[in-house]
Amino acid sequence: MEVTRQNFKDSLSTVCSAIDEADFLAIDGEFSGISDGPNVSALTNGLDTPEERYTKLKKHSMDFLMFQFGLCTFKYDQTKSKYIIKPFNFYIFPKPFNRTSPDIKFICQSSSIDFLASQGFDFNKVFCHGIPYLNQEEEAQLREQTEERRNQQANGLGTPFISPSSSKIPAHVPDEQKDFINKVVEKVERLISNDEKTLDLEPCTGFQRKLIYQTLNWKFAKGLHVETLETEKKERYIQISKVDEEEKKKREQQKLEREQEELNDAVGFSRVIHAISKSGKLVVGHNMLLDVMHTVHQFYCALPQDLQDFKEVTMCVFPRLLDTKLMASTQPFKELITNTSLAELEKQLKESPFKPPQVETAEGFLSYDTAQEQLHEAGYDAYITGLCFISMANHLGSFLTPPKSFISARSKLIEPFFNKLFLMRIIDIPYLNVTGPDCE
């Protein structure tokens, strides 16, 4: 299922339901680049310690943007003896929520953009229809700003409802703004005396809008609803409406509900990551250190300086992780698999002694065909990552007495692979141990 800003709200319940019912989840990300300085060989030096590798990736990779997130949920159907899958492909872009919300700066790497373009990646869907997001600190700041505005309104500083008891103190209007404010007052007086219900003022500056709010709040005893709106050209103007007490309460409630909905819209894709985190389900990825780092960095918090702190944050976000590249690189698979790149791994795991997993796409979801290879679409890569995990997990069952053809994502047989993230090209330290000390 392709998910953009246009259908995100309608799809969110489907996504969360798929996460809740799944036995495990597979993820993948596509990025605007990999390294802002060193080439890949320097970025992944074979003599790095885990701390050095983390520091390099944090310094040279986090200013790029993850702008596509793939999620594929896998639920085992006992009656059919196969997994039912639900693939999702999210386009993500940090569109500013309002003028005070974060205006994210990010960089692109020409080779990465060129490569994705050669694979048919649709950049228009990212920049025109990408789902917005906020990390936890940004969300908290935005909610604090909203609450502050409400408190100001309650104290008469920009209140949208004008009543006799609101304020007895006249607003201080600078000399150069008096003519402007007097004309606004005249228009409001005409509105009150005639049969018209609303008055739209011309677009004006933020300072002028503040003076209008304060003046109307002081000057008029009748109930008025005053609200700032935006034109299609993003020019801000004030709309003034006559309201009675009942209408006033109704509009106040509508405004609160609208603000809450807009805040939820701004949090956007982060709600999917929160749902994954809250589920506690096993999250499977392939060579997934960068995927994990970007996910934490974009949707939760800025990455900490210290590797141990990063491990602790990661465990809060993803309690159980499994990296299929590491799994394929260790015993008992190491001697059987000659190439651990995702595409080649998926092909090798169809051949003896492995068995291709039995899967079925849920009704209403687009089926993937591995014969057509849609590599570097995040949803497809997440899907074949899940297939690789199933094949390797089931192969572990062949070592049991008697052998078992199905090994679940909850089996103790796969626990040795939990929370170990593959480290590329490091000679003697194959993985980053998220839940304990690293190899030395």
PDB file of all heavy atoms in Angstrom, residues 422-435:
ATOM      1  N   PHE A 422      24.665  -5.468  12.217  1.00  0.00           N
ATOM      2  CA  PHE A 422      25.843  -5.744  11.395  1.00  0.00           C
ATOM      3  C   PHE A 422      26.706  -4.498  11.229  1.00  0.00           C
ATOM      4  O   PHE A 422      26.193  -3.395  10.973  1.00  0.00           O
ATOM      5  CB  PHE A 422      25.392  -6.246  10.020  1.00  0.00           C
ATOM      6  CG  PHE A 422      26.523  -6.662   9.122  1.00  0.00           C
ATOM      7  CD1 PHE A 422      27.144  -7.878   9.293  1.00  0.00           C
ATOM      8  CD2 PHE A 422      26.958  -5.826   8.098  1.00  0.00           C
ATOM      9  CE1 PHE A 422      28.193  -8.279   8.471  1.00  0.00           C
ATOM     10  CE2 PHE A 422      28.002  -6.203   7.265  1.00  0.00           C
ATOM     11  CZ  PHE A 422      28.618  -7.431   7.445  1.00  0.00           C
ATOM     12  N   LEU A 423      28.023  -4.674  11.368  1.00  0.00           N
ATOM     13  CA  LEU A 423      28.984  -3.593  11.147  1.00  0.00           C
ATOM     14  C   LEU A 423      29.784  -3.913   9.889  1.00  0.00           C
ATOM     15  O   LEU A 423      30.547  -4.883   9.857  1.00  0.00           O
ATOM     16  CB  LEU A 423      29.924  -3.442  12.345  1.00  0.00           C
ATOM     17  CG  LEU A 423      29.293  -2.892  13.626  1.00  0.00           C
ATOM     18  CD1 LEU A 423      30.285  -2.944  14.779  1.00  0.00           C
ATOM     19  CD2 LEU A 423      28.798  -1.467  13.424  1.00  0.00           C
ATOM     20  N   MET A 424      29.619  -3.110   8.859  1.00  0.00           N
ATOM     21  CA  MET A 424      30.270  -3.375   7.571  1.00  0.00           C
ATOM     22  C   MET A 424      31.786  -3.246   7.651  1.00  0.00           C
ATOM     23  O   MET A 424      32.305  -2.290   8.235  1.00  0.00           O
ATOM     24  CB  MET A 424      29.744  -2.406   6.506  1.00  0.00           C
ATOM     25  CG  MET A 424      28.324  -2.684   6.049  1.00  0.00           C
ATOM     26  SD  MET A 424      27.822  -1.532   4.751  1.00  0.00           S
ATOM     27  CE  MET A 424      28.977  -1.966   3.441  1.00  0.00           C
ATOM     28  N   ARG A 425      32.451  -4.234   7.086  1.00  0.00           N
ATOM     29  CA  ARG A 425      33.886  -4.209   6.817  1.00  0.00           C
ATOM     30  C   ARG A 425      34.783  -4.150   8.054  1.00  0.00           C
ATOM     31  O   ARG A 425      35.985  -3.924   7.942  1.00  0.00           O
ATOM     32  CB  ARG A 425      34.254  -3.028   5.886  1.00  0.00           C
ATOM     33  CG  ARG A 425      33.598  -3.114   4.516  1.00  0.00           C
ATOM     34  CD  ARG A 425      34.105  -1.975   3.618  1.00  0.00           C
ATOM     35  NE  ARG A 425      33.554  -2.081   2.282  1.00  0.00           N
ATOM     36  CZ  ARG A 425      32.423  -1.492   1.907  1.00  0.00           C
ATOM     37  NH1 ARG A 425      31.748  -0.747   2.776  1.00  0.00           N
ATOM     38  NH2 ARG A 425      31.965  -1.634   0.683  1.00  0.00           N
ATOM     39  N   ILE A 426      34.220  -4.314   9.232  1.00  0.00           N
ATOM     40  CA  ILE A 426      35.096  -4.355  10.408  1.00  0.00           C
ATOM     41  C   ILE A 426      35.664  -5.760  10.543  1.00  0.00           C
ATOM     42  O   ILE A 426      34.922  -6.745  10.556  1.00  0.00           O
ATOM     43  CB  ILE A 426      34.349  -3.922  11.693  1.00  0.00           C
ATOM     44  CG1 ILE A 426      33.983  -2.438  11.600  1.00  0.00           C
ATOM     45  CG2 ILE A 426      35.203  -4.178  12.929  1.00  0.00           C
ATOM     46  CD1 ILE A 426      33.419  -1.839  12.859  1.00  0.00           C
ATOM     47  N   ILE A 427      36.973  -5.867  10.635  1.00  0.00           N
ATOM     48  CA  ILE A 427      37.661  -7.145  10.497  1.00  0.00           C
ATOM     49  C   ILE A 427      37.293  -8.129  11.608  1.00  0.00           C
ATOM     50  O   ILE A 427      36.968  -9.285  11.342  1.00  0.00           O
ATOM     51  CB  ILE A 427      39.185  -6.915  10.479  1.00  0.00           C
ATOM     52  CG1 ILE A 427      39.563  -6.068   9.249  1.00  0.00           C
ATOM     53  CG2 ILE A 427      39.948  -8.238  10.483  1.00  0.00           C
ATOM     54  CD1 ILE A 427      40.996  -5.555   9.261  1.00  0.00           C
ATOM     55  N   ASP A 428      37.363  -7.688  12.854  1.00  0.00           N
ATOM     56  CA  ASP A 428      37.209  -8.644  13.945  1.00  0.00           C
ATOM     57  C   ASP A 428      36.021  -8.367  14.860  1.00  0.00           C
ATOM     58  O   ASP A 428      35.845  -9.049  15.873  1.00  0.00           O
ATOM     59  CB  ASP A 428      38.496  -8.696  14.778  1.00  0.00           C
ATOM     60  CG  ASP A 428      38.916  -7.313  15.276  1.00  0.00           C
ATOM     61  OD1 ASP A 428      38.277  -6.329  14.870  1.00  0.00           O
ATOM     62  OD2 ASP A 428      39.880  -7.225  16.062  1.00  0.00           O
ATOM     63  N   ILE A 429      35.206  -7.347  14.535  1.00  0.00           N
ATOM     64  CA  ILE A 429      34.011  -7.057  15.341  1.00  0.00           C
ATOM     65  C   ILE A 429      32.814  -7.053  14.395  1.00  0.00           C
ATOM     66  O   ILE A 429      32.551  -6.055  13.727  1.00  0.00           O
ATOM     67  CB  ILE A 429      34.127  -5.697  16.068  1.00  0.00           C
ATOM     68  CG1 ILE A 429      35.402  -5.664  16.915  1.00  0.00           C
ATOM     69  CG2 ILE A 429      32.907  -5.461  16.954  1.00  0.00           C
ATOM     70  CD1 ILE A 429      35.645  -4.324  17.587  1.00  0.00           C
ATOM     71  N   PRO A 430      32.107  -8.176  14.289  1.00  0.00           N
ATOM     72  CA  PRO A 430      31.079  -8.297  13.251  1.00  0.00           C
ATOM     73  C   PRO A 430      29.803  -7.508  13.499  1.00  0.00           C
ATOM     74  O   PRO A 430      29.050  -7.253  12.568  1.00  0.00           O
ATOM     75  CB  PRO A 430      30.775  -9.798  13.240  1.00  0.00           C
ATOM     76  CG  PRO A 430      31.128 -10.268  14.621  1.00  0.00           C
ATOM     77  CD  PRO A 430      32.282  -9.424  15.065  1.00  0.00           C
ATOM     78  N   TYR A 431      29.553  -7.121  14.755  1.00  0.00           N
ATOM     79  CA  TYR A 431      28.264  -6.484  15.033  1.00  0.00           C
ATOM     80  C   TYR A 431      28.338  -5.506  16.194  1.00  0.00           C
ATOM     81  O   TYR A 431      29.274  -5.543  17.004  1.00  0.00           O
ATOM     82  CB  TYR A 431      27.188  -7.544  15.318  1.00  0.00           C
ATOM     83  CG  TYR A 431      27.476  -8.428  16.520  1.00  0.00           C
ATOM     84  CD1 TYR A 431      27.174  -8.015  17.813  1.00  0.00           C
ATOM     85  CD2 TYR A 431      28.036  -9.694  16.340  1.00  0.00           C
ATOM     86  CE1 TYR A 431      27.437  -8.827  18.907  1.00  0.00           C
ATOM     87  CE2 TYR A 431      28.308 -10.514  17.428  1.00  0.00           C
ATOM     88  CZ  TYR A 431      27.996 -10.068  18.702  1.00  0.00           C
ATOM     89  OH  TYR A 431      28.264 -10.872  19.795  1.00  0.00           O
ATOM     90  N   LEU A 432      27.333  -4.627  16.233  1.00  0.00           N
ATOM     91  CA  LEU A 432      27.133  -3.719  17.353  1.00  0.00           C
ATOM     92  C   LEU A 432      26.116  -4.380  18.279  1.00  0.00           C
ATOM     93  O   LEU A 432      24.984  -4.657  17.868  1.00  0.00           O
ATOM     94  CB  LEU A 432      26.603  -2.382  16.851  1.00  0.00           C
ATOM     95  CG  LEU A 432      26.317  -1.306  17.891  1.00  0.00           C
ATOM     96  CD1 LEU A 432      27.619  -0.738  18.435  1.00  0.00           C
ATOM     97  CD2 LEU A 432      25.481  -0.170  17.289  1.00  0.00           C
ATOM     98  N   ASN A 433      26.502  -4.619  19.506  1.00  0.00           N
ATOM     99  CA  ASN A 433      25.612  -5.278  20.469  1.00  0.00           C
ATOM    100  C   ASN A 433      24.790  -4.204  21.185  1.00  0.00           C
ATOM    101  O   ASN A 433      25.302  -3.497  22.041  1.00  0.00           O
ATOM    102  CB  ASN A 433      26.433  -6.081  21.469  1.00  0.00           C
ATOM    103  CG  ASN A 433      25.562  -6.897  22.408  1.00  0.00           C
ATOM    104  OD1 ASN A 433      24.333  -6.854  22.322  1.00  0.00           O
ATOM    105  ND2 ASN A 433      26.191  -7.628  23.300  1.00  0.00           N
ATOM    106  N   VAL A 434      23.514  -4.106  20.837  1.00  0.00           N
ATOM    107  CA  VAL A 434      22.680  -3.013  21.366  1.00  0.00           C
ATOM    108  C   VAL A 434      22.376  -3.212  22.839  1.00  0.00           C
ATOM    109  O   VAL A 434      22.169  -2.244  23.572  1.00  0.00           O
ATOM    110  CB  VAL A 434      21.364  -2.892  20.547  1.00  0.00           C
ATOM    111  CG1 VAL A 434      20.519  -1.720  21.047  1.00  0.00           C
ATOM    112  CG2 VAL A 434      21.665  -2.701  19.066  1.00  0.00           C
ATOM    113  N   THR A 435      22.354  -4.457  23.307  1.00  0.00           N
ATOM    114  CA  THR A 435      21.947  -4.713  24.692  1.00  0.00           C
ATOM    115  C   THR A 435      23.092  -5.067  25.631  1.00  0.00           C
ATOM    116  O   THR A 435      22.865  -5.458  26.769  1.00  0.00           O
ATOM    117  CB  THR A 435      20.902  -5.852  24.740  1.00  0.00           C
ATOM    118  OG1 THR A 435      21.419  -6.986  24.030  1.00  0.00           O
ATOM    119  CG2 THR A 435      19.601  -5.415  24.130  1.00  0.00           C
TER     120      THR A 435
END
